[in-house]
Amino acid sequence: MSVKTITNDFDQKTAEFLNELFLKYENSSESEKLDDFLARQLLDKKVTNSPDEAKNLINEFSTTLEDIEQDFQSLLTAKKEGKSRSQWLQSNLDGILQQFQDKDNNLINSIKTGLSSSNNSLIKSIFEEDSIISIPLKDSQYEDLNKKAIIEDFLTDIKNNTLLSIVSFDKEKGVAFNKNHKELKILQDYFNERMDSPLDINVKKVATTGVLIANKKGYIPFLKDKSIDEMAMIVDRGLTSAKIAYKIAKGEIDPINAVDYMIDRTTSTVKTAVTKVCRKAGGAIGSKVGGFVGSVFGPAGTVIGSKVGRIVGEVAGQAVGNCISKGIEKISTKAKEFVSNTWSSIKSATGNVFSLYKR
């Protein structure tokens, strides 16, 4: 589905749903557990008529959000121990392949297909012309010395996806939202707390619930046939990007370190996505991994995540929303430097895999 089908109704209605939801949550009884509160909202908004199904939906996307954070912390721990991203990713991919038999390298090829299609589609959506930034693997045999080559190829795609997503985020404008609405402390706390604060996952759970409601109402056509896992990952990426932008504007992190942080986050989220699909698909992996990765990291998933991140910032209050816009401008300026320096080379060459990020 074209990114252009994501309508202004999505912006406005999702902003209204999220504002209402976070306002209710901020005013809810301290004795009520978050999951019980969210289940009640899903029932009230007719997302489901079954209390058990409501609880299952919340449990499913909560587990996904927790897995994303766990994998990210695992990568940070590995780096503190002196390991590189590539070592961490290879170790985790080795573990996945030991657990799930990959006949004919279907998993390897599917991961590559998802990453390539995401990046090539992002290039097209940003520059409005067809060009290839990512090509198929020359050798998909995941063994011996070729393991390292495949991992490095994946990481090149992951770095490029991060930069292209930042540039895409900058293209999304703020939401025309009522500036006189009540500013919400819970969201201001979310943005002011450190990155990866314990508060983060609760805010992301509420936001995911809001997206589920908007999707049920038909305001997000792209998500119509998407899984709960995909929705949760899209929300996680959008809110994380908005928070890092806020931190940049506040001077708490510089753009270069922010890009590195986001590359780490993309790396670990790709691992989470692959694991999720393999667990559910078992031996019948086929193209499912590629489709899932393309859904989350491609143009439409990136746009929706960006919109949700901006909306949550606007709901938090005008000051937060303005900071997010300033932070996005700063980090996208740095990302555009990398992208622009490589764009002319991409257009004039074939058969090469280009890395937009040289560091």
Side-chain angles (χ1 to χ4, degrees):
M1 180 174 291
S2 168
V3 176
K4 292 181 180 180
T5 62
I6 301 172
T7 66
N8 289 332
D9 276 346
F10 164 66
D11 291 354
Q12 194 63 44
K13 294 297 184 181
T14 303
E16 292 171 6
F17 290 140
L18 286 172
N19 183 57
E20 177 186 353
L21 199 56
F22 277 109
L23 183 60
K24 285 181 178 179
Y25 177 49
E26 188 164 277
N27 294 328
S28 64
S29 170
E30 292 184 3
S31 63
E32 184 177 29
K33 294 180 179 179
L34 174 58
D35 287 5
D36 292 337
F37 166 79
L38 295 178
R40 186 158 53 83
Q41 305 313 308
L42 292 177
L43 291 168
D44 287 348
K45 294 297 183 180
K46 310 297 183 184
V47 173
T48 175
N49 293 318
S50 165
D52 287 340
E53 185 180 355
K55 290 180 180 178
N56 288 338
L57 287 171
I58 292 161
N59 181 66
E60 188 170 357
F61 69 65
S62 297
T63 300
T64 298
L65 292 169
E66 289 163 2
D67 288 346
I68 292 170
E69 190 58 35
Q70 183 177 340
D71 285 334
F72 179 66
Q73 293 301 324
S74 171
L75 174 53
L76 294 187
T77 298
K79 292 179 74 174
K80 287 178 182 177
E81 294 172 351
K83 297 176 183 177
S84 65
R85 273 192 207 106
S86 59
Q87 289 173 319
W88 180 87
L89 185 59
Q90 180 174 328
S91 174
N92 278 274
L93 188 53
D94 286 347
I96 292 170
L97 290 170
Q98 286 177 2
Q99 186 175 0
F100 305 97
Q101 297 300 314
D102 184 24
K103 296 180 181 179
D104 302 319
N105 298 299
N106 283 338
L107 177 57
I108 297 298
N109 285 316
S110 193
I111 294 171
K112 178 60 183 179
T113 297
L115 292 172
S116 291
S117 65
S118 295
N119 290 351
N120 292 334
S121 297
L122 279 168
I123 282 284
K124 182 176 181 179
S125 70
I126 292 168
F127 294 100
E128 297 183 348
E129 56 182 286
D130 289 316
S131 195
I132 303 297
I133 190 175
S134 180
I135 60 174
L137 291 167
K138 294 179 180 179
D139 183 357
S140 62
Q141 294 294 321
Y142 189 75
E143 58 188 13
D144 304 326
L145 294 176
N146 202 44
K147 278 187 179 184
K148 184 175 181 180
I150 289 173
I151 293 296
E152 291 303 326
D153 184 279
F154 285 173
L155 281 174
T156 295
D157 280 337
I158 286 169
K159 291 173 184 177
N160 290 344
N161 183 269
T162 303
L163 289 171
L164 292 168
S165 296
I166 292 169
V167 175
S168 180
F169 201 167
D170 184 49
K171 293 181 70 176
E172 295 305 313
K173 304 306 177 186
V175 182
F177 193 59
N178 178 10
K179 302 299 182 183
N180 296 319
H181 75 283
K182 179 184 176 183
E183 296 186 346
L184 299 180
K185 183 178 183 300
I186 186 172
L187 289 180
Q188 293 177 347
D189 289 346
Y190 166 75
F191 286 104
N192 285 313
E193 286 281 342
R194 64 176 174 80
M195 296 301 299
D196 317 310
S197 154
L199 177 62
D200 287 13
I201 195 164
N202 287 346
V203 169
K204 290 173 179 178
K205 286 170 70 170
V206 177
T208 303
T209 302
V211 169
L212 280 173
I213 293 169
N215 184 50
K216 179 68 174 180
K217 300 294 183 182
Y219 293 113
I220 318 178
F222 170 75
L223 293 182
K224 181 179 179 181
D225 300 316
K226 301 306 174 185
S227 69
I228 298 298
D229 293 334
E230 288 166 290
M231 292 187 206
M233 289 188 178
I234 288 169
V235 170
D236 181 271
R237 294 191 81 210
L239 263 66
T240 299
S241 297
K243 185 169 182 176
I244 200 78
Y246 179 83
K247 297 295 185 185
I248 291 170
K250 286 291 189 178
E252 297 178 29
I253 184 171
D254 67 79
I256 287 291
N257 287 331
V259 171
D260 256 0
Y261 174 95
M262 293 178 75
I263 291 171
D264 282 342
R265 193 85 188 184
T266 305
T267 302
S268 60
T269 305
V270 167
K271 183 269 175 182
T272 307
V274 172
T275 304
K276 281 282 179 185
V277 178
C278 287
R279 283 176 180 166
K280 291 188 175 182
I285 297 168
S287 62
K288 292 181 180 179
V289 170
F292 191 105
V293 170
S295 171
V296 174
F297 298 93
T302 300
V303 168
I304 291 171
S306 300
K307 284 181 178 289
V308 172
R310 281 190 180 271
I311 287 169
V312 170
E314 295 287 348
V315 170
Q318 187 172 357
V320 173
N322 289 341
C323 274
I324 291 172
S325 293
K326 291 177 183 177
I328 290 169
E329 184 177 352
K330 287 184 178 181
I331 193 173
S332 68
T333 297
K334 184 58 63 178
K336 285 173 184 175
E337 288 178 13
F338 295 120
V339 173
S340 297
N341 289 340
T342 311
W343 177 236
S344 59
S345 299
I346 295 172
K347 288 170 57 175
S348 62
T350 58
N352 295 308
V353 178
F354 291 91
S355 177
L356 301 175
Y357 190 56
K358 308 288 187 183
R359 189 179 180 196

